[in-house]
PDB file of all heavy atoms in Angstrom:
ATOM      1  N   VAL B   1       0.871  -1.175   0.000  1.00  0.00           N
ATOM      2  CA  VAL B   1       0.000   0.000   0.000  1.00  0.00           C
ATOM      3  C   VAL B   1       0.906   1.221   0.000  1.00  0.00           C
ATOM      4  O   VAL B   1       1.744   1.376   0.893  1.00  0.00           O
ATOM      5  CB  VAL B   1      -0.930   0.003   1.233  1.00  0.00           C
ATOM      6  CG1 VAL B   1      -1.797   1.260   1.254  1.00  0.00           C
ATOM      7  CG2 VAL B   1      -1.806  -1.247   1.232  1.00  0.00           C
ATOM      8  N   ASN B   2       0.746   2.079  -1.013  1.00  0.00           N
ATOM      9  CA  ASN B   2       1.683   3.179  -1.229  1.00  0.00           C
ATOM     10  C   ASN B   2       1.004   4.536  -1.077  1.00  0.00           C
ATOM     11  O   ASN B   2       0.348   5.017  -2.010  1.00  0.00           O
ATOM     12  CB  ASN B   2       2.289   3.088  -2.639  1.00  0.00           C
ATOM     13  CG  ASN B   2       2.966   1.769  -2.911  1.00  0.00           C
ATOM     14  OD1 ASN B   2       3.889   1.386  -2.207  1.00  0.00           O
ATOM     15  ND2 ASN B   2       2.499   1.055  -3.926  1.00  0.00           N
ATOM     16  N   ASN B   3       1.101   5.122   0.110  1.00  0.00           N
ATOM     17  CA  ASN B   3       0.743   6.528   0.329  1.00  0.00           C
ATOM     18  C   ASN B   3      -0.687   6.849  -0.133  1.00  0.00           C
ATOM     19  O   ASN B   3      -0.929   7.852  -0.799  1.00  0.00           O
ATOM     20  CB  ASN B   3       1.746   7.431  -0.400  1.00  0.00           C
ATOM     21  CG  ASN B   3       1.708   8.863   0.098  1.00  0.00           C
ATOM     22  OD1 ASN B   3       1.506   9.112   1.288  1.00  0.00           O
ATOM     23  ND2 ASN B   3       1.892   9.818  -0.801  1.00  0.00           N
ATOM     24  N   ILE B   4      -1.649   6.003   0.257  1.00  0.00           N
ATOM     25  CA  ILE B   4      -3.011   6.221  -0.240  1.00  0.00           C
ATOM     26  C   ILE B   4      -3.767   7.242   0.610  1.00  0.00           C
ATOM     27  O   ILE B   4      -3.559   7.364   1.816  1.00  0.00           O
ATOM     28  CB  ILE B   4      -3.826   4.912  -0.317  1.00  0.00           C
ATOM     29  CG1 ILE B   4      -4.042   4.286   1.065  1.00  0.00           C
ATOM     30  CG2 ILE B   4      -3.197   3.933  -1.285  1.00  0.00           C
ATOM     31  CD1 ILE B   4      -5.069   3.164   1.073  1.00  0.00           C
ATOM     32  N   GLU B   5      -4.618   7.981  -0.074  1.00  0.00           N
ATOM     33  CA  GLU B   5      -5.577   8.864   0.585  1.00  0.00           C
ATOM     34  C   GLU B   5      -6.972   8.447   0.138  1.00  0.00           C
ATOM     35  O   GLU B   5      -7.193   8.131  -1.035  1.00  0.00           O
ATOM     36  CB  GLU B   5      -5.318  10.329   0.222  1.00  0.00           C
ATOM     37  CG  GLU B   5      -4.000  10.853   0.780  1.00  0.00           C
ATOM     38  CD  GLU B   5      -3.822  12.357   0.566  1.00  0.00           C
ATOM     39  OE1 GLU B   5      -4.698  12.979  -0.080  1.00  0.00           O
ATOM     40  OE2 GLU B   5      -2.800  12.891   1.028  1.00  0.00           O
ATOM     41  N   VAL B   6      -7.919   8.442   1.094  1.00  0.00           N
ATOM     42  CA  VAL B   6      -9.290   8.022   0.810  1.00  0.00           C
ATOM     43  C   VAL B   6     -10.244   9.105   1.290  1.00  0.00           C
ATOM     44  O   VAL B   6     -10.086   9.644   2.395  1.00  0.00           O
ATOM     45  CB  VAL B   6      -9.619   6.688   1.518  1.00  0.00           C
ATOM     46  CG1 VAL B   6     -11.121   6.405   1.497  1.00  0.00           C
ATOM     47  CG2 VAL B   6      -8.860   5.540   0.858  1.00  0.00           C
ATOM     48  N   VAL B   7     -11.223   9.410   0.439  1.00  0.00           N
ATOM     49  CA  VAL B   7     -12.280  10.333   0.842  1.00  0.00           C
ATOM     50  C   VAL B   7     -13.628   9.624   0.739  1.00  0.00           C
ATOM     51  O   VAL B   7     -13.813   8.726  -0.081  1.00  0.00           O
ATOM     52  CB  VAL B   7     -12.313  11.615  -0.016  1.00  0.00           C
ATOM     53  CG1 VAL B   7     -11.040  12.408   0.132  1.00  0.00           C
ATOM     54  CG2 VAL B   7     -12.583  11.280  -1.477  1.00  0.00           C
ATOM     55  N   TYR B   8     -14.568  10.041   1.578  1.00  0.00           N
ATOM     56  CA  TYR B   8     -15.953   9.602   1.498  1.00  0.00           C
ATOM     57  C   TYR B   8     -16.815  10.779   1.050  1.00  0.00           C
ATOM     58  O   TYR B   8     -16.594  11.923   1.457  1.00  0.00           O
ATOM     59  CB  TYR B   8     -16.430   9.078   2.852  1.00  0.00           C
ATOM     60  CG  TYR B   8     -16.015   7.654   3.132  1.00  0.00           C
ATOM     61  CD1 TYR B   8     -14.935   7.373   3.973  1.00  0.00           C
ATOM     62  CD2 TYR B   8     -16.701   6.587   2.570  1.00  0.00           C
ATOM     63  CE1 TYR B   8     -14.554   6.065   4.240  1.00  0.00           C
ATOM     64  CE2 TYR B   8     -16.329   5.281   2.828  1.00  0.00           C
ATOM     65  CZ  TYR B   8     -15.254   5.018   3.659  1.00  0.00           C
ATOM     66  OH  TYR B   8     -14.873   3.715   3.912  1.00  0.00           O
ATOM     67  N   ASN B   9     -17.796  10.470   0.220  1.00  0.00           N
ATOM     68  CA  ASN B   9     -18.732  11.477  -0.280  1.00  0.00           C
ATOM     69  C   ASN B   9     -18.033  12.652  -0.953  1.00  0.00           C
ATOM     70  O   ASN B   9     -18.560  13.766  -0.991  1.00  0.00           O
ATOM     71  CB  ASN B   9     -19.636  11.985   0.847  1.00  0.00           C
ATOM     72  CG  ASN B   9     -20.483  10.870   1.438  1.00  0.00           C
ATOM     73  OD1 ASN B   9     -21.109  10.104   0.707  1.00  0.00           O
ATOM     74  ND2 ASN B   9     -20.484  10.765   2.758  1.00  0.00           N
ATOM     75  N   GLY B  10     -16.817  12.407  -1.432  1.00  0.00           N
ATOM     76  CA  GLY B  10     -16.085  13.423  -2.167  1.00  0.00           C
ATOM     77  C   GLY B  10     -15.460  14.516  -1.320  1.00  0.00           C
ATOM     78  O   GLY B  10     -14.748  15.371  -1.850  1.00  0.00           O
ATOM     79  N   VAL B  11     -15.702  14.507  -0.013  1.00  0.00           N
ATOM     80  CA  VAL B  11     -15.216  15.623   0.810  1.00  0.00           C
ATOM     81  C   VAL B  11     -14.523  15.205   2.115  1.00  0.00           C
ATOM     82  O   VAL B  11     -13.651  15.918   2.604  1.00  0.00           O
ATOM     83  CB  VAL B  11     -16.371  16.589   1.166  1.00  0.00           C
ATOM     84  CG1 VAL B  11     -16.854  17.316  -0.082  1.00  0.00           C
ATOM     85  CG2 VAL B  11     -17.519  15.865   1.840  1.00  0.00           C
ATOM     86  N   VAL B  12     -14.905  14.067   2.699  1.00  0.00           N
ATOM     87  CA  VAL B  12     -14.385  13.687   4.014  1.00  0.00           C
ATOM     88  C   VAL B  12     -13.112  12.870   3.850  1.00  0.00           C
ATOM     89  O   VAL B  12     -13.152  11.723   3.369  1.00  0.00           O
ATOM     90  CB  VAL B  12     -15.428  12.886   4.821  1.00  0.00           C
ATOM     91  CG1 VAL B  12     -14.875  12.564   6.208  1.00  0.00           C
ATOM     92  CG2 VAL B  12     -16.733  13.660   4.928  1.00  0.00           C
ATOM     93  N   LEU B  13     -11.977  13.456   4.218  1.00  0.00           N
ATOM     94  CA  LEU B  13     -10.688  12.778   4.098  1.00  0.00           C
ATOM     95  C   LEU B  13     -10.505  11.833   5.287  1.00  0.00           C
ATOM     96  O   LEU B  13     -10.423  12.271   6.429  1.00  0.00           O
ATOM     97  CB  LEU B  13      -9.554  13.806   4.058  1.00  0.00           C
ATOM     98  CG  LEU B  13      -8.141  13.257   3.855  1.00  0.00           C
ATOM     99  CD1 LEU B  13      -8.006  12.539   2.517  1.00  0.00           C
ATOM    100  CD2 LEU B  13      -7.119  14.389   3.963  1.00  0.00           C
ATOM    101  N   VAL B  14     -10.438  10.539   4.999  1.00  0.00           N
ATOM    102  CA  VAL B  14     -10.385   9.521   6.056  1.00  0.00           C
ATOM    103  C   VAL B  14      -8.990   8.931   6.204  1.00  0.00           C
ATOM    104  O   VAL B  14      -8.494   8.761   7.312  1.00  0.00           O
ATOM    105  CB  VAL B  14     -11.421   8.409   5.786  1.00  0.00           C
ATOM    106  CG1 VAL B  14     -11.336   7.331   6.863  1.00  0.00           C
ATOM    107  CG2 VAL B  14     -12.825   8.990   5.724  1.00  0.00           C
ATOM    108  N   LEU B  15      -8.345   8.586   5.088  1.00  0.00           N
ATOM    109  CA  LEU B  15      -6.968   8.084   5.131  1.00  0.00           C
ATOM    110  C   LEU B  15      -6.036   9.135   4.560  1.00  0.00           C
ATOM    111  O   LEU B  15      -6.329   9.743   3.520  1.00  0.00           O
ATOM    112  CB  LEU B  15      -6.831   6.785   4.328  1.00  0.00           C
ATOM    113  CG  LEU B  15      -7.650   5.589   4.798  1.00  0.00           C
ATOM    114  CD1 LEU B  15      -7.278   4.350   3.993  1.00  0.00           C
ATOM    115  CD2 LEU B  15      -7.480   5.329   6.290  1.00  0.00           C
ATOM    116  N   LYS B  16      -4.909   9.347   5.241  1.00  0.00           N
ATOM    117  CA  LYS B  16      -4.031  10.470   4.932  1.00  0.00           C
ATOM    118  C   LYS B  16      -2.599   9.974   4.714  1.00  0.00           C
ATOM    119  O   LYS B  16      -1.769  10.028   5.614  1.00  0.00           O
ATOM    120  CB  LYS B  16      -4.079  11.483   6.084  1.00  0.00           C
ATOM    121  CG  LYS B  16      -5.517  11.890   6.455  1.00  0.00           C
ATOM    122  CD  LYS B  16      -5.609  12.535   7.822  1.00  0.00           C
ATOM    123  CE  LYS B  16      -7.052  12.801   8.209  1.00  0.00           C
ATOM    124  NZ  LYS B  16      -7.196  13.320   9.585  1.00  0.00           N
ATOM    125  N   GLY B  17      -2.347   9.443   3.540  1.00  0.00           N
ATOM    126  CA  GLY B  17      -0.999   9.005   3.212  1.00  0.00           C
ATOM    127  C   GLY B  17      -0.596   7.711   3.882  1.00  0.00           C
ATOM    128  O   GLY B  17       0.492   7.615   4.452  1.00  0.00           O
ATOM    129  N   VAL B  18      -1.442   6.689   3.796  1.00  0.00           N
ATOM    130  CA  VAL B  18      -1.184   5.407   4.466  1.00  0.00           C
ATOM    131  C   VAL B  18      -0.315   4.518   3.581  1.00  0.00           C
ATOM    132  O   VAL B  18      -0.626   4.289   2.403  1.00  0.00           O
ATOM    133  CB  VAL B  18      -2.507   4.687   4.795  1.00  0.00           C
ATOM    134  CG1 VAL B  18      -2.239   3.250   5.270  1.00  0.00           C
ATOM    135  CG2 VAL B  18      -3.277   5.466   5.848  1.00  0.00           C
ATOM    136  N   SER B  19       0.760   4.020   4.156  1.00  0.00           N
ATOM    137  CA  SER B  19       1.640   3.067   3.478  1.00  0.00           C
ATOM    138  C   SER B  19       1.910   1.887   4.405  1.00  0.00           C
ATOM    139  O   SER B  19       2.151   2.072   5.602  1.00  0.00           O
ATOM    140  CB  SER B  19       2.978   3.714   3.088  1.00  0.00           C
ATOM    141  OG  SER B  19       2.798   4.766   2.162  1.00  0.00           O
ATOM    142  N   LEU B  20       1.859   0.680   3.850  1.00  0.00           N
ATOM    143  CA  LEU B  20       2.200  -0.524   4.621  1.00  0.00           C
ATOM    144  C   LEU B  20       2.527  -1.655   3.666  1.00  0.00           C
ATOM    145  O   LEU B  20       2.211  -1.594   2.477  1.00  0.00           O
ATOM    146  CB  LEU B  20       1.068  -0.919   5.581  1.00  0.00           C
ATOM    147  CG  LEU B  20      -0.323  -1.217   5.024  1.00  0.00           C
ATOM    148  CD1 LEU B  20      -0.444  -2.665   4.533  1.00  0.00           C
ATOM    149  CD2 LEU B  20      -1.391  -0.960   6.081  1.00  0.00           C
ATOM    150  N   GLN B  21       3.167  -2.693   4.206  1.00  0.00           N
ATOM    151  CA  GLN B  21       3.537  -3.864   3.419  1.00  0.00           C
ATOM    152  C   GLN B  21       3.121  -5.124   4.167  1.00  0.00           C
ATOM    153  O   GLN B  21       3.153  -5.169   5.404  1.00  0.00           O
ATOM    154  CB  GLN B  21       5.049  -3.921   3.189  1.00  0.00           C
ATOM    155  CG  GLN B  21       5.618  -2.797   2.365  1.00  0.00           C
ATOM    156  CD  GLN B  21       7.115  -2.962   2.145  1.00  0.00           C
ATOM    157  OE1 GLN B  21       7.743  -3.887   2.670  1.00  0.00           O
ATOM    158  NE2 GLN B  21       7.691  -2.066   1.352  1.00  0.00           N
ATOM    159  N   VAL B  22       2.757  -6.147   3.396  1.00  0.00           N
ATOM    160  CA  VAL B  22       2.489  -7.468   3.966  1.00  0.00           C
ATOM    161  C   VAL B  22       3.314  -8.476   3.175  1.00  0.00           C
ATOM    162  O   VAL B  22       3.094  -8.654   1.972  1.00  0.00           O
ATOM    163  CB  VAL B  22       0.993  -7.838   3.888  1.00  0.00           C
ATOM    164  CG1 VAL B  22       0.761  -9.213   4.519  1.00  0.00           C
ATOM    165  CG2 VAL B  22       0.140  -6.780   4.591  1.00  0.00           C
ATOM    166  N   PRO B  23       4.276  -9.147   3.819  1.00  0.00           N
ATOM    167  CA  PRO B  23       5.109 -10.103   3.091  1.00  0.00           C
ATOM    168  C   PRO B  23       4.368 -11.409   2.828  1.00  0.00           C
ATOM    169  O   PRO B  23       3.431 -11.768   3.549  1.00  0.00           O
ATOM    170  CB  PRO B  23       6.288 -10.324   4.048  1.00  0.00           C
ATOM    171  CG  PRO B  23       5.714 -10.087   5.409  1.00  0.00           C
ATOM    172  CD  PRO B  23       4.684  -9.000   5.230  1.00  0.00           C
ATOM    173  N   GLN B  24       4.803 -12.117   1.798  1.00  0.00           N
ATOM    174  CA  GLN B  24       4.252 -13.430   1.503  1.00  0.00           C
ATOM    175  C   GLN B  24       4.406 -14.344   2.718  1.00  0.00           C
ATOM    176  O   GLN B  24       5.469 -14.459   3.304  1.00  0.00           O
ATOM    177  CB  GLN B  24       4.996 -14.045   0.312  1.00  0.00           C
ATOM    178  CG  GLN B  24       4.633 -15.486   0.001  1.00  0.00           C
ATOM    179  CD  GLN B  24       3.291 -15.588  -0.677  1.00  0.00           C
ATOM    180  OE1 GLN B  24       3.021 -14.838  -1.606  1.00  0.00           O
ATOM    181  NE2 GLN B  24       2.456 -16.498  -0.226  1.00  0.00           N
ATOM    182  N   GLY B  25       3.297 -14.984   3.149  1.00  0.00           N
ATOM    183  CA  GLY B  25       3.354 -15.930   4.252  1.00  0.00           C
ATOM    184  C   GLY B  25       3.386 -15.311   5.631  1.00  0.00           C
ATOM    185  O   GLY B  25       3.547 -16.025   6.620  1.00  0.00           O
ATOM    186  N   GLY B  26       3.211 -14.005   5.732  1.00  0.00           N
ATOM    187  CA  GLY B  26       3.300 -13.344   7.033  1.00  0.00           C
ATOM    188  C   GLY B  26       1.943 -13.068   7.656  1.00  0.00           C
ATOM    189  O   GLY B  26       0.891 -13.241   7.038  1.00  0.00           O
ATOM    190  N   ILE B  27       1.985 -12.654   8.924  1.00  0.00           N
ATOM    191  CA  ILE B  27       0.815 -12.101   9.604  1.00  0.00           C
ATOM    192  C   ILE B  27       1.205 -10.713  10.078  1.00  0.00           C
ATOM    193  O   ILE B  27       2.161 -10.546  10.844  1.00  0.00           O
ATOM    194  CB  ILE B  27       0.371 -12.935  10.823  1.00  0.00           C
ATOM    195  CG1 ILE B  27       0.192 -14.407  10.476  1.00  0.00           C
ATOM    196  CG2 ILE B  27      -0.934 -12.381  11.393  1.00  0.00           C
ATOM    197  CD1 ILE B  27      -0.264 -15.249  11.670  1.00  0.00           C
ATOM    198  N   VAL B  28       0.473  -9.718   9.597  1.00  0.00           N
ATOM    199  CA  VAL B  28       0.750  -8.325   9.935  1.00  0.00           C
ATOM    200  C   VAL B  28      -0.490  -7.738  10.590  1.00  0.00           C
ATOM    201  O   VAL B  28      -1.617  -8.000  10.156  1.00  0.00           O
ATOM    202  CB  VAL B  28       1.132  -7.517   8.673  1.00  0.00           C
ATOM    203  CG1 VAL B  28       1.243  -6.024   8.983  1.00  0.00           C
ATOM    204  CG2 VAL B  28       2.439  -8.039   8.089  1.00  0.00           C
ATOM    205  N   ALA B  29      -0.287  -6.958  11.649  1.00  0.00           N
ATOM    206  CA  ALA B  29      -1.404  -6.328  12.364  1.00  0.00           C
ATOM    207  C   ALA B  29      -1.483  -4.852  12.037  1.00  0.00           C
ATOM    208  O   ALA B  29      -0.456  -4.174  11.884  1.00  0.00           O
ATOM    209  CB  ALA B  29      -1.239  -6.507  13.874  1.00  0.00           C
ATOM    210  N   LEU B  30      -2.709  -4.375  11.944  1.00  0.00           N
ATOM    211  CA  LEU B  30      -2.990  -2.938  11.847  1.00  0.00           C
ATOM    212  C   LEU B  30      -3.798  -2.594  13.086  1.00  0.00           C
ATOM    213  O   LEU B  30      -4.955  -2.992  13.224  1.00  0.00           O
ATOM    214  CB  LEU B  30      -3.769  -2.633  10.570  1.00  0.00           C
ATOM    215  CG  LEU B  30      -4.067  -1.164  10.258  1.00  0.00           C
ATOM    216  CD1 LEU B  30      -2.796  -0.332  10.222  1.00  0.00           C
ATOM    217  CD2 LEU B  30      -4.816  -1.048   8.935  1.00  0.00           C
ATOM    218  N   LEU B  31      -3.154  -1.891  14.023  1.00  0.00           N
ATOM    219  CA  LEU B  31      -3.726  -1.636  15.338  1.00  0.00           C
ATOM    220  C   LEU B  31      -4.197  -0.196  15.451  1.00  0.00           C
ATOM    221  O   LEU B  31      -3.697   0.685  14.766  1.00  0.00           O
ATOM    222  CB  LEU B  31      -2.678  -1.922  16.423  1.00  0.00           C
ATOM    223  CG  LEU B  31      -1.968  -3.270  16.355  1.00  0.00           C
ATOM    224  CD1 LEU B  31      -0.842  -3.325  17.386  1.00  0.00           C
ATOM    225  CD2 LEU B  31      -2.955  -4.413  16.575  1.00  0.00           C
ATOM    226  N   GLY B  32      -5.129   0.024  16.354  1.00  0.00           N
ATOM    227  CA  GLY B  32      -5.595   1.381  16.586  1.00  0.00           C
ATOM    228  C   GLY B  32      -6.968   1.389  17.212  1.00  0.00           C
ATOM    229  O   GLY B  32      -7.669   0.375  17.239  1.00  0.00           O
ATOM    230  N   ALA B  33      -7.355   2.537  17.713  1.00  0.00           N
ATOM    231  CA  ALA B  33      -8.651   2.683  18.363  1.00  0.00           C
ATOM    232  C   ALA B  33      -9.768   2.719  17.328  1.00  0.00           C
ATOM    233  O   ALA B  33      -9.531   2.832  16.122  1.00  0.00           O
ATOM    234  CB  ALA B  33      -8.665   3.964  19.204  1.00  0.00           C
ATOM    235  N   ASN B  34     -10.992   2.642  17.806  1.00  0.00           N
ATOM    236  CA  ASN B  34     -12.151   2.744  16.936  1.00  0.00           C
ATOM    237  C   ASN B  34     -12.146   4.097  16.212  1.00  0.00           C
ATOM    238  O   ASN B  34     -11.914   5.135  16.822  1.00  0.00           O
ATOM    239  CB  ASN B  34     -13.425   2.597  17.777  1.00  0.00           C
ATOM    240  CG  ASN B  34     -14.664   2.455  16.924  1.00  0.00           C
ATOM    241  OD1 ASN B  34     -14.638   1.811  15.884  1.00  0.00           O
ATOM    242  ND2 ASN B  34     -15.755   3.060  17.349  1.00  0.00           N
ATOM    243  N   GLY B  35     -12.379   4.073  14.904  1.00  0.00           N
ATOM    244  CA  GLY B  35     -12.395   5.312  14.136  1.00  0.00           C
ATOM    245  C   GLY B  35     -11.050   5.762  13.616  1.00  0.00           C
ATOM    246  O   GLY B  35     -10.949   6.830  13.002  1.00  0.00           O
ATOM    247  N   ALA B  36     -10.012   4.949  13.805  1.00  0.00           N
ATOM    248  CA  ALA B  36      -8.673   5.350  13.360  1.00  0.00           C
ATOM    249  C   ALA B  36      -8.500   5.256  11.850  1.00  0.00           C
ATOM    250  O   ALA B  36      -7.593   5.874  11.287  1.00  0.00           O
ATOM    251  CB  ALA B  36      -7.606   4.499  14.057  1.00  0.00           C
ATOM    252  N   GLY B  37      -9.344   4.453  11.184  1.00  0.00           N
ATOM    253  CA  GLY B  37      -9.211   4.280   9.741  1.00  0.00           C
ATOM    254  C   GLY B  37      -8.796   2.878   9.332  1.00  0.00           C
ATOM    255  O   GLY B  37      -8.519   2.626   8.153  1.00  0.00           O
ATOM    256  N   LYS B  38      -8.786   1.958  10.291  1.00  0.00           N
ATOM    257  CA  LYS B  38      -8.313   0.599  10.009  1.00  0.00           C
ATOM    258  C   LYS B  38      -9.222  -0.132   9.021  1.00  0.00           C
ATOM    259  O   LYS B  38      -8.760  -0.704   8.038  1.00  0.00           O
ATOM    260  CB  LYS B  38      -8.212  -0.203  11.315  1.00  0.00           C
ATOM    261  CG  LYS B  38      -7.396   0.471  12.410  1.00  0.00           C
ATOM    262  CD  LYS B  38      -7.255  -0.406  13.646  1.00  0.00           C
ATOM    263  CE  LYS B  38      -8.565  -0.854  14.268  1.00  0.00           C
ATOM    264  NZ  LYS B  38      -9.415   0.283  14.716  1.00  0.00           N
ATOM    265  N   SER B  39     -10.523  -0.125   9.296  1.00  0.00           N
ATOM    266  CA  SER B  39     -11.459  -0.827   8.412  1.00  0.00           C
ATOM    267  C   SER B  39     -11.486  -0.188   7.027  1.00  0.00           C
ATOM    268  O   SER B  39     -11.602  -0.886   6.016  1.00  0.00           O
ATOM    269  CB  SER B  39     -12.869  -0.830   9.020  1.00  0.00           C
ATOM    270  OG  SER B  39     -12.908  -1.600  10.202  1.00  0.00           O
ATOM    271  N   THR B  40     -11.358   1.122   6.966  1.00  0.00           N
ATOM    272  CA  THR B  40     -11.310   1.802   5.668  1.00  0.00           C
ATOM    273  C   THR B  40     -10.096   1.342   4.871  1.00  0.00           C
ATOM    274  O   THR B  40     -10.173   1.162   3.645  1.00  0.00           O
ATOM    275  CB  THR B  40     -11.280   3.327   5.865  1.00  0.00           C
ATOM    276  OG1 THR B  40     -12.490   3.737   6.512  1.00  0.00           O
ATOM    277  CG2 THR B  40     -11.154   4.050   4.538  1.00  0.00           C
ATOM    278  N   THR B  41      -8.982   1.125   5.546  1.00  0.00           N
ATOM    279  CA  THR B  41      -7.781   0.633   4.865  1.00  0.00           C
ATOM    280  C   THR B  41      -8.039  -0.736   4.248  1.00  0.00           C
ATOM    281  O   THR B  41      -7.680  -0.990   3.091  1.00  0.00           O
ATOM    282  CB  THR B  41      -6.603   0.559   5.847  1.00  0.00           C
ATOM    283  OG1 THR B  41      -6.367   1.860   6.411  1.00  0.00           O
ATOM    284  CG2 THR B  41      -5.338   0.086   5.150  1.00  0.00           C
ATOM    285  N   LEU B  42      -8.681  -1.629   5.013  1.00  0.00           N
ATOM    286  CA  LEU B  42      -8.994  -2.953   4.469  1.00  0.00           C
ATOM    287  C   LEU B  42      -9.931  -2.841   3.272  1.00  0.00           C
ATOM    288  O   LEU B  42      -9.762  -3.541   2.265  1.00  0.00           O
ATOM    289  CB  LEU B  42      -9.630  -3.837   5.544  1.00  0.00           C
ATOM    290  CG  LEU B  42      -8.756  -4.279   6.720  1.00  0.00           C
ATOM    291  CD1 LEU B  42      -9.440  -5.401   7.493  1.00  0.00           C
ATOM    292  CD2 LEU B  42      -7.365  -4.716   6.275  1.00  0.00           C
ATOM    293  N   LYS B  43     -10.942  -1.987   3.372  1.00  0.00           N
ATOM    294  CA  LYS B  43     -11.898  -1.847   2.267  1.00  0.00           C
ATOM    295  C   LYS B  43     -11.244  -1.237   1.034  1.00  0.00           C
ATOM    296  O   LYS B  43     -11.634  -1.547  -0.099  1.00  0.00           O
ATOM    297  CB  LYS B  43     -13.093  -1.018   2.717  1.00  0.00           C
ATOM    298  CG  LYS B  43     -13.977  -1.745   3.726  1.00  0.00           C
ATOM    299  CD  LYS B  43     -15.091  -0.860   4.269  1.00  0.00           C
ATOM    300  CE  LYS B  43     -15.915  -1.613   5.296  1.00  0.00           C
ATOM    301  NZ  LYS B  43     -16.955  -0.763   5.922  1.00  0.00           N
ATOM    302  N   ALA B  44     -10.258  -0.384   1.238  1.00  0.00           N
ATOM    303  CA  ALA B  44      -9.510   0.155   0.101  1.00  0.00           C
ATOM    304  C   ALA B  44      -8.769  -0.969  -0.623  1.00  0.00           C
ATOM    305  O   ALA B  44      -8.704  -1.001  -1.857  1.00  0.00           O
ATOM    306  CB  ALA B  44      -8.533   1.224   0.572  1.00  0.00           C
ATOM    307  N   ILE B  45      -8.232  -1.918   0.148  1.00  0.00           N
ATOM    308  CA  ILE B  45      -7.496  -3.042  -0.433  1.00  0.00           C
ATOM    309  C   ILE B  45      -8.443  -4.000  -1.153  1.00  0.00           C
ATOM    310  O   ILE B  45      -8.151  -4.479  -2.253  1.00  0.00           O
ATOM    311  CB  ILE B  45      -6.705  -3.785   0.660  1.00  0.00           C
ATOM    312  CG1 ILE B  45      -5.630  -2.866   1.265  1.00  0.00           C
ATOM    313  CG2 ILE B  45      -6.068  -5.062   0.103  1.00  0.00           C
ATOM    314  CD1 ILE B  45      -5.045  -3.373   2.571  1.00  0.00           C
ATOM    315  N   SER B  46      -9.594  -4.288  -0.534  1.00  0.00           N
ATOM    316  CA  SER B  46     -10.502  -5.316  -1.061  1.00  0.00           C
ATOM    317  C   SER B  46     -11.493  -4.778  -2.087  1.00  0.00           C
ATOM    318  O   SER B  46     -12.283  -5.543  -2.643  1.00  0.00           O
ATOM    319  CB  SER B  46     -11.277  -5.971   0.085  1.00  0.00           C
ATOM    320  OG  SER B  46     -12.106  -5.029   0.751  1.00  0.00           O
TER     321      SER B  46
END
């Protein structure tokens, strides 16, 4: 994931330059409180 930004409804900026990597065969965690943008990151990927 390379420096992505995500908006909802064309105006609400939810993800602000998110970058991460997941290696083949690994388990990687994305941690944070409710509303941090974690689920949005997954939906951007899927």
Side-chain angles (χ1 to χ4, degrees):
V1 178
N2 304 301
N3 197 36
I4 64 168
E5 293 187 356
V6 167
V7 297
Y8 279 101
N9 298 312
V11 292
V12 183
L13 183 62
V14 178
L15 298 186
K16 308 162 185 175
V18 170
S19 297
L20 58 84
Q21 296 182 356
V22 181
Q24 173 75 46
I27 308 181
V28 172
L30 184 56
L31 309 173
N34 190 38
K38 307 184 303 300
S39 294
T40 297
T41 302
L42 292 194
K43 290 175 182 176
I45 296 165
S46 63

